[in-house]
Amino acid sequence: MRALRAILVASVMLPAVHASATDLEVTHWWTSGGEAAAVKELATAFDATGNKWIDGAIAGSGGTARPIMISRITGGDPMGATQFNHGRQAEELAKSGMMRDLTAVAEKEKWKDIIKPASLLASCTIDGKIYCAPVNIHSWQWLWLSNAAFKTAGVAVPKNWDEFVAAAPALEKAGIIPLAIGGQPWQSTGAFNVLMIAIAGKPTFEKVFSDKDEKVAAGPEIAKVFKAADDARRMSKGSNVQDWNQATNMVITAKAGGQIMGDWAQGEFALAKQKAGVDYTCLPGLGVNEVISTDGDAFYFPVLKDAAKSKAQEALASTIVSPKVQVAFNLKKGSLPIRGDIDLAAANDCMKKGLEILAKGNVVRSVNQLVSADTQKQLEDLFSEFFAKPSMTPVDAQKRFAAIIASAD
Ligand code: GAL
């Protein structure tokens, strides 16, 4: 009798446990090989909570995915969670009350004490409330070089941007495109911003993007950056690819000498079984100025009416921040963990360089964190035009740049 009662109790209890677990659709734009491998780590860890990750990958890039994500949320068809770069991309959604306030979860788990640097959580915070769970620190400021390409061209692997520019003719002679840049607007814009920190330095970068100082934007320091962008434009002629990972693949296969791209490129080298320092070389800050930006990706959670799904959102938020997931995800992705208290013994040489720069505090906020999505779009229009149209002079491009900065918010 007692046994029977126990079975009955168990069978009544079981569905109760399952009732609180649920499917949660998670949208993101991580579709390259390395990114997909990193996403899998998140999904596996979330599934282990008893819930189920329904993958909502959107191919293309952030530029394609974000408008789709935003229109689903504003149009009344919200997903359970979505990636954004934490910064200002979800600002309007949060302000209009469509995104979930995660402050209670963050306080319970002491995110303020564990998430480093503090600017990561600050970028999730609007009017004192926390709206996102940061998943990584990523940095844009890297030059990825193919050791084999330079060998074929008979020149030493460059140690900095100037040596790279000087090596371009030898690469071209050997039939190798010096610099691979994909056609999506965010790639040339990102490369320009990286050149700015390397060539003009952090104070100038901050005067332009943080203070929105139009005079500096129109001045001689930024003119030098446009001159470098002109070199980059020439060196990238014939790239003929769209996606960033296709450009990375050109470096992996030694069809291109190098690529300016964020640390996510590292996931592709890892997947191709290439080794940092042996098959490829990474130069943080283009080998000129070792500063990295500390924004990254974060998950945001639309307000949902369904209680079980709301509970699952909390489970996903704490899964993302947990030490185990931080290690597994970031090793696959090539990015850095958002907490300083975890062991990254398995990090490769490039990640170690990134961690050292971070430890020295040589960091800068990213453009995503400093300008609105509108301003970002205007910058992307400018740089995609500049890179696609050799007839647009650096002087004309700088004039337009200064005008964008003058009206930036
Ligand atoms: C960025 C994103 C990175 C990266 C990259 C290329 O916006 O934050 O995590 O994967 O796009 O897809």
Side-chain angles (χ1 to χ4, degrees):
M1 187 59 203
R2 201 187 290 155
L4 186 60
R5 199 181 308 137
I7 291 168
L8 275 176
V9 169
S11 62
V12 170
M13 297 281 294
L14 264 179
V17 173
H18 283 287
S20 64
T22 185
D23 291 356
L24 202 67
E25 187 201 358
V26 188
T27 53
H28 58 85
W29 60 85
W30 286 324
T31 53
S32 79
E35 290 172 333
V39 168
K40 204 158 165 248
E41 297 291 345
L42 291 183
T44 306
F46 180 61
D47 288 355
T49 67
N51 294 292
K52 181 138 189 55
W53 173 288
I54 305 296
D55 200 69
I58 301 174
S61 69
T64 316
R66 282 191 296 273
I68 299 173
M69 293 159 169
I70 292 171
S71 73
R72 279 196 48 189
I73 299 168
T74 54
D77 177 28
M79 61 298 285
T82 189
Q83 172 201 7
F84 280 120
N85 297 118
H86 52 320
R88 300 184 53 186
Q89 290 168 358
E91 196 174 72
E92 288 174 24
L93 291 174
K95 284 195 167 155
S96 57
M98 286 186 236
M99 304 310 272
R100 173 134 185 225
D101 171 6
L102 289 177
T103 312
V105 182
E107 278 174 358
K108 196 166 131 226
E109 300 198 343
K110 306 203 176 350
W111 287 4
K112 278 209 173 117
D113 300 332
I114 55 175
I115 295 181
K116 304 248 149 50
S119 60
L120 289 179
L121 211 50
S123 284
C124 287
T125 309
I126 297 170
D127 298 333
K129 293 180 185 149
I130 295 172
Y131 285 94
C132 64
V135 64
N136 63 359
I137 303 175
H138 72 200
S139 48
W140 244 109
Q141 294 73 19
W142 298 85
L143 176 59
W144 307 94
L145 299 167
S146 157
N147 290 4
F150 289 93
K151 196 159 176 228
T152 307
V155 281
V157 178
K159 288 188 285 308
N160 55 49
W161 174 255
D162 286 344
E163 288 184 15
F164 182 36
V165 177
L171 289 165
E172 276 164 358
K173 223 169 165 188
I176 296 166
I177 291 170
L179 181 67
I181 298 189
Q184 293 161 341
W186 64 272
Q187 297 181 50
S188 44
T189 311
F192 179 83
N193 297 338
V194 172
L195 284 166
M196 190 189 296
I197 296 183
I199 288 161
K202 175 174 160 177
T204 302
F205 176 88
E206 286 183 332
K207 271 185 208 134
V208 171
F209 289 119
S210 184
D211 305 344
K212 325 275 189 300
D213 187 327
E214 178 192 353
K215 267 215 189 98
V216 174
E221 283 306 299
I222 299 301
K224 285 187 212 154
V225 184
F226 271 95
K227 153 84 185 53
D230 191 27
D231 291 335
R233 172 169 67 175
R234 220 180 17 259
M235 288 161 71
S236 65
K237 217 175 123 223
S239 282
N240 277 343
V241 287
Q242 280 299 313
D243 296 346
W244 68 269
N245 53 314
Q246 294 174 318
T248 309
N249 197 259
M250 291 173 70
V251 181
I252 290 173
T253 54
K255 291 195 182 78
Q259 180 187 24
I260 297 175
M261 189 44 64
D263 55 15
W264 47 90
Q266 207 162 179
E268 304 304 298
F269 287 102
L271 211 65
K273 304 255 174 306
Q274 295 211 340
K275 206 167 173 301
V278 177
D279 305 302
Y280 68 99
T281 298
C282 58
L283 298 179
L286 309 187
V288 183
N289 198 352
E290 292 197 350
V291 175
I292 59 174
S293 57
T294 50
D295 69 324
D297 300 291
F299 282 89
Y300 288 77
F301 301 85
V303 172
L304 300 178
K305 290 199 188 88
D306 184 311
K309 289 201 193 296
S310 302
K311 196 107 207 94
Q313 289 179 324
E314 290 173 18
L316 180 56
S318 36
T319 301
I320 286 165
V321 173
S322 76
K324 230 173 108 200
V325 170
Q326 279 297 308
V327 175
F329 174 83
N330 286 302
L331 284 179
K332 293 266 164 68
K333 182 86 165 46
S335 43
L336 303 176
I338 51 135
R339 43 196 297 165
D341 58 349
I342 61 179
D343 179 20
L344 264 194
N348 72 20
D349 285 4
C350 298
M351 283 175 94
K352 283 189 184 134
K353 280 187 197 173
L355 287 167
E356 274 165 31
I357 297 170
L358 192 64
K360 283 190 210 146
N362 291 344
V363 297
V364 68
R365 276 174 302 161
S366 79
V367 179
N368 262 332
Q369 291 167 303
L370 297 171
V371 306
S372 68
D374 257 12
T375 301
Q376 180 70 17
K377 173 82 176 59
Q378 292 173 42
L379 291 167
E380 288 184 0
D381 288 347
L382 166 61
F383 288 109
S384 68
E385 197 179 326
F386 179 71
F387 272 81
K389 217 163 106 189
S391 62
M392 183 178 202
T393 67
V395 171
D396 285 347
Q398 187 178 1
K399 276 194 196 129
R400 205 163 118 193
F401 179 73
I404 294 172
I405 296 302
S407 63
D409 59 352

